[in-house]
Every structure is written in structure tokens, then in C-alpha cells.
Amino acid sequence: MARKRKAPKSSSNGEASAKKPARSSKRSKAKAIVEEDHFVLDHSDAEDENVVESIGEARVARVAKRPQTEEESVFIGKPVDIEEAKLRWPHRYLSQIIGTPEAESLKSEVKKCQARRHYTEARVDGRTFDLGDDAHVLAGEGKDNYICRIVEMFEGVDGEPYITSQWFYKAKDTVIKDCSDLIEDKRVFLSTIQDDNHLDCLIAKIKILQLPLNADIKTKSAAVTKCDYYYDMLYYVPFSTFLKPQQDDTEDGTKSGSTISSEIDVCKDEGSKNPKEMKLLDLFSGCGAMSTGLCLGANLSGVKLVTKWAVDLNKNACQSLKYNHPETEVRNEKVEEFLALLKEWERLCGKFSLTGDKGCQQQILSSENESNHEDEEEEEEEIVDTDEIFEVDEILSLCYGLPEGQKEVGLYFKIRWKGYGEEDDTWEPEDGLSGAQDKLKEFVTNGFNSKILPLPGDADIICGGPPCQGISGFNRFRDSKNPLKDPKNEQLLFYMKIVEFLRPKFVLMENVVDLLRFSEGFLGRYALGRLVGMNYQARLGMMAAGAYGLPQFRMRVFLWGAHHTVKLPQFPLPTHNVVVRGHSPVEFESNAVTYDEGSAPKLEDKLYLRDAISDLPAVENDEDRDEMPYGADPITDFQKFIRLGKEEIQGAAQSNCLLYDHRPLKLNIEDHQRVCLIPVRKGANFRDLKGVKVRPDNKVEWDPTIERVLLPSGKPLVPDYAMTYVKGTSLKPFGRLWWDETVPTVVTRAEPHNQIIIHPGQNRVLTVRENARLQGFPDYYKLFGSIKQRYIQVGNAVAVPVARALGYSLGLSVKGGGGSPSQEPTFTLPTKFPNIKDCQPSATD
């Protein structure tokens, strides 16, 4: 009777696992046998008998076994020479050294299934399988067959025939899961996961080709028709990593030369020893925190990274970014309009023969000839009888959308008319410039040379955090069944479309952790699937801001993507002793960037609120100055570093700077009166106000012995909303922060009604600058817009120290060129990072 065996299951991240089945019979005693020079231990006592049992059976992960047929599954041919077998698979023959000092250090290996002999060929149900073959493996009933590569064939000490399977994953079996429709059906991913299975699990030999990750469509199409599956990437469960293979895998399981052609080092100009300037496009840029940190970190690693372009819909955020980064082309527009503009810009550059797309140029010229011919036929009709003729003096800018004075969405140019001033500038469509083609050509040529917009291949890295408001817990109408159909999530689609159009070398996407919580992480899986579908290497991790030197926890998701010609960046491990585990979605706990449990790294002490803001001058609730002197020296290392000017950070001298944006949101009279009555002590909040009673279950209620206290305006001292917030259990309304605390997360709104944001020692909320410090903004970074708008810019930003650490990782990858990618998803930052002059890669890079 055939024994039924469990198939390896996929965990949430696609990790194969299997349970060991019960055996149909059990040996009562281990016998010593010498058979064809294959030695098995002879022990008669019960203790040693159990040792041999564990050797023969432990850690054998078996998949489902086929129903037994008349033809037995057997190895054929001569066994591998025993000495050669011991060299190739030494862990299978450790039973011969039990009791020796060497064995003591190999106890974990001894537990693996031990072998009598190895083979290179087998016959299963009349089919012949060779070592190194790819095969279908029987899965559970109603399930698709598993896919494996046979990397070992051996007879166990229990006399059973086994194979070691190295597993291939279909996209649906990886972390991509339900977004597998983004990946071709025949595309699979080779994993490093191997386990032992009974020979009977094999069903049929199949053909799997390895293709280069940069294979063109014609080559791929021709190859795919000749195989069952193909693979061009490896899949590693840790950090949901997809990597290009380092080498080809030949049919016999050995390694041959790499299929990846060598590339020019992206870190240097060809023929030059000087660092090449790398260009960054920051989408959904906000006020520029993410790109600022990336550039600072990359520069520390020796790579010159510059934010060349930035796009955001918030006008004030764009003004802040432009002020702090005058070298950046900042566009205040929707990303979908930016994408349409990029396509039009590529067409215009082709029209004037500035790009190599000859087909495009010919098509445009042909279209122009037809248009000119029509113009000649209607020339008389175009003559306008007017007293004034407008002549284009200069084309100033271009946009795609609906500028002022226009009725249809499209491509428009901002025109300065000859003889007129700035106040008379207008937006005109392209077909309105038929008589000013020389001016249009001049504008496009100058723009092409100065790269006012990126063409495909111009952006070395695209970063950004597309807002997905459809996943917010504050959105009562969010659609968990079809997240991508929610218009509030469409920014993620446009982000990926821009990546697909521009094809940068690197991609870095940031988002809130709800990206991996909502709808079983569908949007996170989609983003990863889109990158892999575009043949980008990718890995996903979660990083806590406090772990990189801030008194704020703030966990965020980061998704790296890398072109096949470059190394996929790693995630930098924490530098400060902040607990990261336990704050991640259960399915993605292994994606948290932290040290392995049990390790004892030497980390900096975590920071507290005192470390960040204790040096700042006292201000009142009605403070209205945008600039002021510091008035005192820095106290902590954090304060000394955060005060450095832009030139000082970049290595140049800097005069003393003024302090910007040290202004709080001015509370109304009633709220300020309430704040003034909150005790100046740790943990104080509205519960300390007169008339509030805390029950034993920690819920609040009105104190029946006290008449409700009113403010001079007649409004109640304790508002009803404070009593009912989170059903009376919350400690947040009118909560006061304390010096020895770490802030959970910096928020976009400064009202004290439902969050703890009151200064520890002053009767006001934290200022814009104090919030900015909790996000790691350098003090020189000046913000624009109303006070509420500045809070929003700071609260929406990526923590600068996190972006700086990621920028350093990016720099290491760039300097590594197109070499072999690192299987290790994390690395250790230099000591005292970033307070160092010359950062060097650590020994673990």
C-alpha cells in the first residue's frame, strides 16, 4: 500500500515547508552492515538506536507520493564512487564520525537524512530522470504540480530512495500572490530552498530555460516556445527579494559563465576618474525630504547624486523644495499630467531630431508635410484682417493639462509676446505656433540640452511615496475587495507607469505600513509585482525612523528596484537601540529591517524628545516670527549635527544660521486656556482637568460631585469629544509630551484635540521646527506656506535620517557597478553614521 505524504506548503511569503509523515514501519534495532564499502553504524543500545533513527528520518521534507504502480521507482546505473560522493555531499555521511570531536561541532548536520550511496540516474513509472533534470513533482489533490530541479539522488540508511529538490516558484507562490497576472505564465523563479523527498514524488521531466534578464522580446519569444518554463530571476524569501542570477545553470546542475553582459560603471563617466553626477526624479516629492536624505547619503558614500526633477501637487511644498534646492526643476502638477507631458516631450525631441528615434521623426515629418500641404490650400482663408499682429518673442515653458484661459486638456506653451510684458503672457496650444517653428525648435533644443524634462534613460533613480488614501483607516468607504479600482489609490498606478516609461537604473518607493495590512497587502504585492514584471530586481522592507537616530518611532515601507545592469541596494541595519519587532503586519514580520533575534549588536542609545529640542528658545502660542536667533548653544550631539548648515554638511565653511519656522499653530482662546491648565508633568492630559473622573476600567466619566466647569467664554473646560474619544479610553486629547519619551509618529495636524502634541514645559503645541527636528530635517531647511501647510509638509515627509541611510546604500550599489548582486538583504552602516568624514563600507557589505 502506498504511503501518503504531505506536500510542501507555501507560507505567506512563499517559503516552502513540509511535515514529516509517519513511517509505515519502524526498525526496532540498528544493525551494522558493510555493503559495497558503504558503512552504517552498529549499535545495539537503545540510546544509539535512537541516534541512528534520527539520522535516517529527521528533516526529510517529503511531498505527496504517487500511488504505487506495478513498476517500482528505483535508481539505475552504477552508484557514485563513495569517495567522490563524500566530497560532493559530505553532510550525508556524517554518521560515520559520530562520537568523534568533529561530530560534536556538526550535530545539526548529523540530523539530516544520511545516505548509503548516491546515484546520478533513476527510473520512475517508466520515465528516466538524471541528476540536474528539472521535473514536475506531485502536489496535493486538486493543486498544480510543483516544479523542482533534482540536485541530489541518494539511498538513505533506511533503504529508501530519495532526491533533493531545489524548488522553482510560480509568481502566485511568491509574495506576489494574487497579483501574479502581472507575470507571464511560463515565467518561474529559482529559489535557494532545498529539501529531501521520496523518489516516488517525481511525475515527469520538464524543460526549464535560463534566460538573461535583459533578453529582447524576439529572443525571449523564440526561446519560450521551446520550453515548459523559463527563469531569469532568483527568489529569496527574506525581504521578498527578486535577484538576477549570478550564473547560468546547466542541465547537469553545474555552473557556467554569466549570461549578464558587463556594463559601464554607472558611478563614473566613461574615460574619466571623476564621479559621474547621477540624476534623481522625486515624484510626489512634498517639500523634498526623501530626495534630500538620499542625496546626502549617496554623497557620503562618494557618489554625487542630485535631485534634477521633482513633481508635487502641493504648491507650497513645491515652493519649499525649490528654495532649498534651486538646482531642481520643480513642477507643481498632477503626476498623470506629468506622465502625459513626458510622452509629448519625447515626441517634440524626436520632431527636431534631438533623439535617435528615426521612425518617430519620419512619422512626424510626414505628418508635418501633410499639414503644410493643407495649409497651402487654405492659405487665403488664414489671412486675418486685423490692425495688430502678435509675434512670439520667446517660449518660456510648457505643460500638459488645462492652464488658465484654455478649455481643453492638452499640451500648451507659455508665450512671451514681442512688445508685451510678463502680465500679458499666455498659454497657447502647439497648433497655434505654426508661424513660430523656429522659436519652438529653439525652446525644445535648449530644453533638451539643459534636460528640463527627463527622457527615457535620463533619470538614474526615481523615488517617491505615491499617496494611497484608499487604504487609510480614516477612509470609511475604502474598497478592500478591489483596491486598484479606488480612485484614491490610482497614484500608485501612475508611479509605476512613469517608472515603465523612463526606465531608471534604480527605483525607491515609500509608503505607510497599511500598504501591507490593507486587503492582505494587495497594493504592496502589486507594486512588487509591477517592478518584477518590468524585469527589475526588487526587495521590500520596513524601517523605523527611531532606529536611525530620531526620537520618533514611525515605521514605513520601502521598496527597492534595480535594473539588471546594477546591484540591488540592501537595507541598512539600525544604528540606534529601538525595538522594531512587533509593529509589522503578521504576514510581513520577516520584512522588518532589524537584527536577528539573539544577536547582540553594539548600537547607540535611543534618542528622546529632550535630545532633539531642548536647545530651542522658548516661544509663546502667538509667536509669529519666521526667523529668529538660536539664543543658546547646542547641548546634544543630535542638536550639533542638526544645526549644521548646508555647506557645512557638504564639507564647506558656514556662518551662523538663523532658526527658521520655530512657530506653533496658534490655538484659539479656549484651546489655549485648556492647554494652560494641563499640569506640567509626564503623562498629563485632559483627565487631569477638573470635573473628569477615571473609572477602574480606565474609562472616563463626568464626576457627579463637581459641577461642570466653564471657561470665561461659556464653553466647557472639558469638551464632550475628549470624553467620548475612543469610547472614553484615550489618553490623547490635550496630552502633554515629556522629555524622556519617544514620539510615536509626527502628524500632519497640530491640533491637540486627539493627539499628544503639547510641549513638555511650555503651554503650546510643538512648533513646525520642533516637528521638523523629529523628522530629521536639517535646521537650514526653510518651509513656505501657512503654518498649517508647513505642518502638513513636515508630517507627510520621509524621515531624513532613514532616507540618508538608504542613500548611502544606494551609493554602495552604484560603486559596485553591474557585478554580482548581494544575496544578503541587509548591511551594517559605518560607526557613528552619519557623523563621519570618510564613510567606508563595512566588513559585512
Side-chain angles (χ1 to χ4, degrees), residues 75-80 117-121 131 153-155:
F75 294 124
I76 57 178
K78 292 184 178 180
V80 178
R117 54 180 71 81
H118 275 77
Y119 290 85
T120 60
E121 193 175 7
L131 183 64
M153 293 179 169
F154 65 96
E155 178 188 340

Side-chain angles (χ1 to χ4, degrees), residues 253-304:
T254 59
K255 300 291 182 181
S256 64
S258 173
T259 61
I260 307 298
S261 58
S262 60
E263 304 285 343
I264 296 173
D265 190 338
V266 297
C267 187
K268 295 179 181 178
D269 286 315
E270 190 173 4
S272 171
K273 293 183 179 180
N274 298 322
K276 173 186 175 183
E277 179 179 281
M278 296 187 68
K279 300 177 182 63
L280 180 148
L281 166 61
D282 192 351
L283 296 174
F284 308 100
S285 62
C287 61
M290 189 173 184
S291 51
T292 295
L294 286 172
C295 291
L296 290 173
N299 293 343
L300 280 172
S301 74
V303 172
K304 187 177 181 181

